[in-house]
Amino acid sequence: MSNFDSQITKARLYCEGKGARFTSLREKVYELLLSKQGAVGAYDLLDELKLTESGAKPATVYRTLDFLLEFGLIHKLESTNAFVACHHFDCSHPVQFLICDLCGEVKEIQSDGLKEKLDHQAHSVGFSVTKQTIEAHGMCSECQQ
């Protein structure tokens, strides 16, 4: 079984373990996102879906994306209004993204101590952080050459 197939199987089992169906459409959208280097917009996903799912509509894609977001299988990049697959959805984690402005590559990282520092600073002004996503734009190593 390839790593790609393994990730799809892991997602299916994860959803089923939470009492949710990982329908063929949800699987297809997740699969499309897994196959991409960068983030993908909803309408780009719709265009790709229409190649095999002639009845796909914007509402269908958005409902599917909402499900995948709710279950942590994907992340939404707010700055670009696009989506990327999450490879370690079975754990709760703060998210930081490095987004290449030239080629669109997206890397998900976990910066040691960043969440704790943010929580500490927020707490010092009476704020409680419930969700944290940081997006940093720049150039990947390939585009710097």
Side-chain angles (χ1 to χ4, degrees):
M1 178 182 290
S2 74
N3 190 33
F4 189 80
D5 293 334
S6 170
Q7 191 70 17
I8 297 290
T9 300
K10 183 178 165 186
R12 183 181 306 108
L13 294 173
Y14 178 73
C15 289
E16 289 171 359
K18 297 225 174 244
R21 290 187 38 218
F22 196 59
T23 64
S24 62
L25 182 61
R26 291 169 178 168
E27 180 176 333
K28 188 161 292 223
V29 170
Y30 185 61
E31 187 177 305
L32 285 171
L33 288 168
L34 280 172
S35 71
K36 305 295 181 190
Q37 277 297 113
V40 182
Y43 279 91
D44 293 327
L45 285 169
L46 177 62
D47 290 342
E48 288 199 49
L49 269 178
K50 283 184 175 179
L51 298 175
T52 57
E53 309 286 325
S54 60
K57 304 267 187 266
T60 308
V61 171
Y62 280 110
R63 277 194 304 272
T64 302
L65 290 170
D66 285 344
F67 172 88
L68 296 173
L69 281 167
E70 179 183 341
F71 280 81
L73 299 172
I74 64 172
H75 298 290
K76 181 177 182 182
L77 300 179
E78 299 294 337
S79 64
T80 59
N81 198 27
F83 302 87
V84 339
C86 179
H87 296 270
H88 47 279
F89 47 81
D90 51 354
C91 63
S92 176
H93 59 282
V95 183
Q96 296 98 42
F97 293 105
L98 304 176
I99 304 165
C100 181
D101 291 324
L102 295 179
C103 71
E105 180 183 27
V106 177
K107 295 269 190 212
E108 181 179 341
I109 62 169
Q110 292 184 356
S111 300
D112 293 334
L114 186 59
K115 179 188 182 323
E116 292 75 17
K117 186 162 183 92
L118 177 64
D119 285 344
H120 176 74
Q121 289 178 331
H123 182 72
S124 73
V125 295
F127 190 85
S128 177
V129 176
T130 56
K131 180 181 176 190
Q132 173 252 296
T133 302
I134 295 173
E135 300 176 23
H137 288 262
M139 270 195 298
C140 69
S141 60
E142 291 293 314
C143 290
Q144 290 178 45
Q145 296 179 12

